[in-house]
């Protein structure tokens, strides 16, 4: 990413996980990162820390597709296409695990400014052909500090 094409943003990420016969669990993450627009796609980059593990996360999204790529202590690639099953993978210290995402909803609500907007994603996650839950990801971003 070239500095000329990027801008700083503040991020609020809310993940809601619903598993069969359990109450939904919600996780909230605040971070700072950068945003870039290329054609009709938005790229957000930010750092995540989960349970002491650090990851550099890149989220690319548009109106009908998205991908989440994590690098660091955990490596992951999760593609999303509205209404379609997509193959991805999750790498941990125990090896690579193939995963499948079935995207149910994608909403991208940009504002006039590149540095403000909302992205929403709802999907079912399958591991080994079995559903491990329904996930909702809501990401709000606002102008950050330079």
């Amino acid at each position: 990413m070239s500095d000329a094409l990027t801008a700083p943003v503040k991020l609020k990420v809310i993940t809601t996980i619903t598993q069969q016969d359990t109450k939904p669990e919600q996780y909230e993450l605040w971070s700072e990162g950068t945003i870039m627009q290329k054609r009709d796609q938005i790229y957000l980059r930010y750092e995540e820390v989960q349970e002491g593990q650090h990851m550099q996360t890149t989220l690319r999204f548009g109106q009908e597709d998205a991908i989440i790529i994590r690098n660091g202590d955990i490596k992951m690639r999760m593609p999303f296409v509205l209404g379609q099953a997509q193959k991805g993978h999750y790498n941990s210290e125990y090896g690579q695990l193939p995963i499948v995402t079935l995207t149910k909803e994608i909403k991208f609500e940009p504002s006039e400014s590149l540095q403000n907007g909302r992205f929403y994603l709802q999907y079912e996650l399958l591991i080994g052909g079995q559903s491990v839950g329904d996930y909702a990801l809501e990401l709000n971003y606002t102008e950050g500090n330079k």
Side-chain angles (χ1 to χ4, degrees):
M1 283 190 200
S2 164
D3 287 340
L5 302 173
T6 63
V9 289
K10 293 179 181 174
L11 303 159
K12 178 182 179 184
V13 183
I14 300 170
T15 304
T16 306
I17 304 168
T18 307
Q19 295 174 319
Q20 190 172 351
D21 301 326
T22 64
K23 287 184 178 179
E25 292 180 52
Q26 195 169 73
Y27 302 93
E28 198 171 283
L29 168 77
W30 292 83
S31 189
E32 293 183 3
T34 57
I35 189 167
M36 180 180 74
Q37 183 168 4
K38 254 185 166 173
R39 294 185 276 293
D40 62 342
Q41 299 285 304
I42 296 290
Y43 293 78
L44 279 170
R45 274 196 171 158
Y46 58 97
E47 185 174 354
E48 281 185 80
V49 179
Q50 293 181 8
E51 299 175 8
Q53 297 186 308
H54 294 261
M55 295 156 284
Q56 189 65 35
T57 300
T58 301
L59 171 60
R60 178 192 51 80
F61 57 88
Q63 294 292 348
E64 295 185 10
D65 69 325
I67 188 165
I68 298 172
I69 300 170
R70 288 192 175 113
N71 285 301
D73 292 333
I74 294 176
K75 294 180 183 353
M76 182 183 80
R77 183 178 186 282
M78 293 177 73
F80 305 93
V81 176
L82 188 58
Q84 295 182 19
Q86 295 289 303
K87 293 180 181 178
H89 59 81
Y90 177 93
N91 286 27
S92 72
E93 59 203 59
Y94 307 110
Q96 187 176 86
L97 187 64
I99 58 176
V100 174
T101 58
L102 177 56
T103 307
K104 299 176 179 183
E105 187 176 358
I106 289 182
K107 283 186 197 169
F108 173 36
E109 300 166 354
S111 70
E112 294 294 318
S113 161
L114 169 66
Q115 293 171 272
N116 295 288
R118 178 179 177 268
F119 177 71
Y120 178 80
L121 176 66
Q122 186 180 9
Y123 62 97
E124 182 178 3
L125 180 62
L126 297 107
I127 299 175
Q130 299 292 313
S131 176
V132 294
D134 288 313
Y135 287 69
L137 174 73
E138 180 179 347
L139 190 141
N140 293 287
Y141 55 95
T142 57
E143 187 172 342
N145 301 321
K146 294 199 182 256

